[in-house]
Amino acid sequence: MKKEEAGELVLKVDASPGALDAAAWDALLASQGAPSPFMRHAYLGALHESESATGAKGWHPQFFTLWRGNELVAACPLYLKDHSYGEYVFDWAWANAYHEHGLAYYPKALVAVPFTPVPGTRLLARDSASRALLLQALVAWCAEQELSSLHLLFTADEDVAACVEAGLMLRHTVQFHWLNQGWSDFDAFLASLSHDKRKKVRQERRKVQEAGVRFRWARGRDISPDDWAFFYRCYARTYREHGNPPYLTPDFFERMARTMPESWLLFVAERGGRPIASSLIALSHDEPGSGAPEAAYGRYWGAVERVDCLHFEACYYQPLQWCIEHGVQRFEGGAQGEHKMARALMPVRTTSAHWLAHPAFADAVERFLQREGAGIDNYLDHLGERSPFKQS
């Protein structure tokens, strides 16, 4: 563990989430403007302890905490990365440019949740001054370690403000989120869509029903060990069908079932009395134990049998119906995918922030980001003209 003085504050850098004060971390997270279950200590710890995100796989944890006496005033997860896999904000071209000029891009520093492209607060802090000091310490540490760069991914507004103030470059991407407009049931939601989109959803749902598929859901501790095991079989199959090993190990999900059961909702598709597909949804609350979840996050899915439109039913229609019935205000569909707009998930701008140590490369990347940002603006304008809802 490394300590540095920052006025009356003490900065600590720990190489394992297990060295952190879990209660202090989670209390600080709960006070943020955009907390998510993926920044919980149990989630980050499970990634490490299950050997899903470890140094052996190119994720070297360096957790930063800023203390005033016994009070935790700021914190963030940081990883030294040997590659750019599992991030969803793609910088392969930057790495290639460094390589072509005989410079090392890796290791780089990443403030993010591994394998989790969900926006939320990354720089946990008691106030804006503490957040600024934490970011200042991150940049100074990266420079001291002679790292090529620092990247903060899927940041919240308060992070963006701190990064702009510190002179970091911003990069924008697009995700698709569904917002609950107070519909009484799924039919009322469908009634808000244009005729062709409404017809399409009904046709897709009918195909699944006519194939003899029925769904059930379980939440929290009601998800049985057999359900978790079947889900992992589906999850792993999805990755292997795309030629990749699954990022997350079975032990990771076993830890989630033990330490964060309230944060998970599982849909299981059955046909002829046996499971054939599943989708796992994460849930968030404004405060632990408070009423209806504020948000739901589509995370993982897979199937052991092929049924036309089963993916749409498992990953969108079943979760959206559940959200409407349970008063959930937002469903985030994950990274990319214009096809989500046909299911009423609308485009949302997400933001990352970047610091590059090499001045010439920083200038080149800044010019690139200006051009890319203009393209993102045009893309959002284009998507805005394709709303699935009825025109008022």
Side-chain angles (χ1 to χ4, degrees), residues 103-176:
L103 300 174
Y105 190 69
Y106 304 108
K108 64 178 184 178
L110 187 76
V111 177
V113 182
F115 320 122
T116 310
V118 176
T121 305
R122 295 290 174 259
L123 302 173
L124 312 182
R126 291 292 178 198
D127 50 44
S128 58
S130 300
R131 183 172 289 108
L133 283 173
L134 176 61
L135 182 57
Q136 187 178 27
L138 291 174
V139 173
W141 185 86
C142 290
E144 184 180 294
Q145 298 295 314
E146 298 184 347
L147 302 178
S148 71
S149 51
L150 169 68
H151 311 266
L152 295 87
L153 307 187
F154 299 104
T155 55
D157 290 345
E158 55 267 35
D159 301 323
V160 172
C163 290
V164 169
E165 184 68 23
L168 274 69
M169 298 176 288
L170 301 185
R171 187 179 192 185
H172 303 294
T173 54
V174 176
Q175 291 190 352
F176 296 86

Side-chain angles (χ1 to χ4, degrees), residues 58 67 77 130 215 228 250 281 287 325 333 363 384 391:
W67 297 83
S130 300
F215 276 82
W228 278 110
I281 309 298
E287 297 178 4
E325 292 173 354
D363 288 344
Q391 298 300 310

Side-chain angles (χ1 to χ4, degrees), residues 115-269:
F115 320 122
T116 310
V118 176
T121 305
R122 295 290 174 259
L123 302 173
L124 312 182
R126 291 292 178 198
D127 50 44
S128 58
S130 300
R131 183 172 289 108
L133 283 173
L134 176 61
L135 182 57
Q136 187 178 27
L138 291 174
V139 173
W141 185 86
C142 290
E144 184 180 294
Q145 298 295 314
E146 298 184 347
L147 302 178
S148 71
S149 51
L150 169 68
H151 311 266
L152 295 87
L153 307 187
F154 299 104
T155 55
D157 290 345
E158 55 267 35
D159 301 323
V160 172
C163 290
V164 169
E165 184 68 23
L168 274 69
M169 298 176 288
L170 301 185
R171 187 179 192 185
H172 303 294
T173 54
V174 176
Q175 291 190 352
F176 296 86
H177 299 175
W178 174 89
L179 298 179
N180 193 340
Q181 298 181 22
W183 295 291
S184 58
D185 54 29
F186 196 84
D187 284 338
F189 160 61
L190 283 184
S192 71
L193 301 181
S194 64
H195 172 75
D196 59 329
K197 295 297 189 294
R198 184 168 63 249
K199 180 180 179 181
K200 182 180 181 66
V201 171
R202 286 176 171 157
Q203 287 175 339
E204 290 175 344
R205 301 201 81 182
R206 189 179 306 118
K207 287 180 181 180
V208 176
Q209 293 169 356
E210 291 176 349
V213 178
R214 299 295 180 266
F215 276 82
R216 61 179 175 86
W217 62 266
R219 181 181 176 186
R221 298 192 186 279
D222 291 334
I223 304 174
S224 71
D226 286 344
D227 284 340
W228 278 110
F230 175 71
F231 156 74
Y232 193 83
R233 179 184 168 197
C234 294
Y235 162 76
R237 183 185 178 108
T238 296
Y239 273 83
R240 292 188 178 114
E241 285 178 347
H242 290 86
N244 300 309
Y247 283 137
L248 302 172
T249 66
D251 184 46
F252 171 80
F253 292 104
E254 290 171 7
R255 291 175 184 274
M256 290 294 95
R258 290 198 309 271
T259 63
M260 291 177 56
E262 73 284 356
S263 295
W264 299 102
L265 170 67
L266 183 68
F267 292 92
V268 179

Side-chain angles (χ1 to χ4, degrees), residues 1-6 9-21 25 60-67 72 74-80 109-111 133-134 136-142 144-145 147:
M1 182 176 69
K2 177 182 175 183
K3 296 183 179 181
E4 297 178 1
E5 294 297 331
L9 302 177
V10 175
L11 175 69
K12 299 181 180 181
V13 184
D14 289 290
S16 168
L20 304 174
D21 184 326
W25 180 284
H60 304 271
Q62 300 286 317
F63 281 70
F64 279 62
T65 53
L66 198 59
W67 297 83
L72 179 62
C76 71
L78 181 141
Y79 296 89
L80 295 179
L110 187 76
V111 177
L133 283 173
L134 176 61
Q136 187 178 27
L138 291 174
V139 173
W141 185 86
C142 290
E144 184 180 294
Q145 298 295 314
L147 302 178

Side-chain angles (χ1 to χ4, degrees), residues 14-17 44-63 78-83 107-108 114-115:
D14 289 290
S16 168
L44 296 168
L47 287 169
H48 183 77
E49 293 157 7
S50 69
E51 298 187 349
S52 297
T54 62
K57 295 183 177 180
W59 296 82
H60 304 271
Q62 300 286 317
F63 281 70
L78 181 141
Y79 296 89
L80 295 179
K81 289 293 302 298
D82 297 336
H83 52 68
K108 64 178 184 178
F115 320 122

